[in-house]
Amino acid sequence: MSAAWSLVLHGGAGPLREGDEAGAEAHMAATLRAGGDALASGRPALDVVQTAVAALEESGFHIAGRGASPNAEGRWELDAAIMNGQTREAGSVAALRGFRSPVAAARKVLDHSPHVLLVGKGATRFLKPYRLARVRNPREYYRPAVTRPVAPGELAHGTVGAVALDTRGRLAAATSTGGLLGKTPGRVGDSPIIGAGTWADERVAVSCTGQGEYFMRCAVAADISARVRYARAGLGEAAGHALEDVRLLGGDGGLIAVDVLGNVTMPFTSQTMKRGVASSAGRFEVATRRRA
Ligand code: ASP
């Protein structure tokens, strides 16, 4: 049993936007503090990443949960995933409509379904007995954090995520997203695809953000684990190479990752990534602008 713990959060990678990020930073700091306290008191990584992502969803500061942008038809279709590194159990939902916390829905799939990924009406029916909080009036509830691209042709996007190592050496990852602004109805990004945008095993936990199509084509999250496992790469090196593959295809973004020793990395190739880290070693940082 190790007493070390680490928690890393992200609030999405992308272009720098005008605006005051002080509210987002203060909220992320409070979320980190609460998650760090939970890990220090022995809570499982799986519960802590879910709670942290749910707080980021609910905040409206990021393009996920309440801050998500609508698709091309003005409807909100959200994606989320959660994975337990110890058991490799995973749950995901995609293009889900009408649930306040997509990550809570993903956790129900992990806990109660033999499947990994549920979508559409089947997902809604499966979730019904669990009485999760619903969105009755989307136009009133959602407060899109972004309503138009910053530059012409820019794929405005955003996501939230959390990865954690708990004091019993267990790793977990969770990701939740509104995907791309004005996306085609039915479009699913990398976040709920296990191995692309979200991954946890006995070595590493990873949550990605960026142009999801590229992250799927590079299987980024699982690739980091493979590089650590087979190429014996360090966590930072593995993450850097995986993001370089995305860049070579023409995409950008970032990720957060933690390994079983508590090492963390938060690289990004986009202009910025909202991010924060807390650990039992006393590290505590939050940044929403360029480099820390
Ligand atoms: N990766 C997300 C998606 O493509 C978006 C983001 O992270 O900004 O759905």
Side-chain angles (χ1 to χ4, degrees):
M1 168 158 164
S2 132
W5 57 264
S6 298
L7 175 64
V8 195
L9 308 179
H10 74 75
L16 273 175
R17 295 174 199 283
E18 291 306 312
D20 180 13
E21 296 287 5
E25 286 196 11
H27 183 270
M28 188 172 275
T31 307
L32 259 183
R33 229 169 260 120
D37 288 349
L39 286 168
S41 70
R43 299 285 302 157
L46 188 66
D47 292 349
V48 171
V49 295
Q50 179 185 341
T51 303
V53 166
L56 295 171
E57 285 173 334
E58 193 74 23
S59 73
F61 286 121
H62 315 284
I63 309 176
R66 192 161 206 199
S69 307
N71 67 18
E73 288 176 349
R75 294 204 168 83
W76 278 265
E77 292 186 337
L78 307 188
D79 303 337
I82 185 163
M83 187 164 187
N84 181 344
Q86 190 187 26
T87 60
R88 294 217 199 171
E89 289 171 312
S92 302
V93 287
L96 188 70
R97 289 191 194 169
F99 286 82
R100 276 173 77 140
S101 175
V103 75
R107 180 66 188 268
K108 293 298 176 198
V109 176
L110 184 153
D111 284 342
H112 302 294
S113 164
H115 308 301
V116 167
L117 171 59
L118 293 180
V119 304
K121 290 194 180 113
T124 305
R125 263 200 300 276
F126 164 80
L127 293 167
K128 201 163 177 213
Y130 303 108
R131 299 176 165 276
L132 297 175
R134 301 293 294 265
V135 175
R136 298 289 163 207
N137 189 339
R139 287 190 190 286
E140 277 178 18
Y141 176 73
Y142 290 107
R143 305 244 187 281
V146 166
T147 49
R148 61 188 166 80
V150 170
E154 181 225 328
L155 289 175
H157 56 85
T159 291
V160 300
V163 295
L165 168 72
D166 70 25
T167 53
R168 291 173 62 183
R170 299 171 297 197
L171 293 156
T175 312
S176 178
T177 188
L180 305 183
L181 172 65
K183 65 190 178 183
T184 301
R187 181 265 185 189
V188 171
D190 59 316
S191 309
I193 306 300
I194 297 301
T198 305
W199 179 262
D201 60 20
E202 61 283 17
R203 291 175 190 81
V204 301
V206 183
S207 172
C208 300
T209 168
Q211 297 161 344
E213 281 69 9
Y214 295 97
F215 281 73
M216 286 190 271
R217 289 163 61 201
C218 295
V220 169
D223 185 48
I224 292 170
S225 173
R227 288 175 190 272
V228 169
R229 182 174 186 180
Y230 303 118
R232 307 224 174 270
L235 186 68
E237 184 194 353
H241 282 302
L243 271 188
E244 178 63 9
D245 280 355
V246 168
R247 200 187 61 77
L248 290 173
L249 290 187
D252 68 27
L255 62 90
I256 53 173
V258 59
D259 70 14
V260 72
L261 298 176
N263 297 309
V264 307
T265 189
M266 309 181 283
F268 53 94
T269 56
S270 36
Q271 285 180 341
T272 190
M273 180 172 80
K274 294 181 263 184
R275 59 207 183 275
V277 55
S279 78
S280 54
R283 190 167 173 195
F284 191 93
E285 292 163 32
V286 173
T288 51
R289 293 273 159 189
R290 245 168 251 272
R291 311 283 155 187

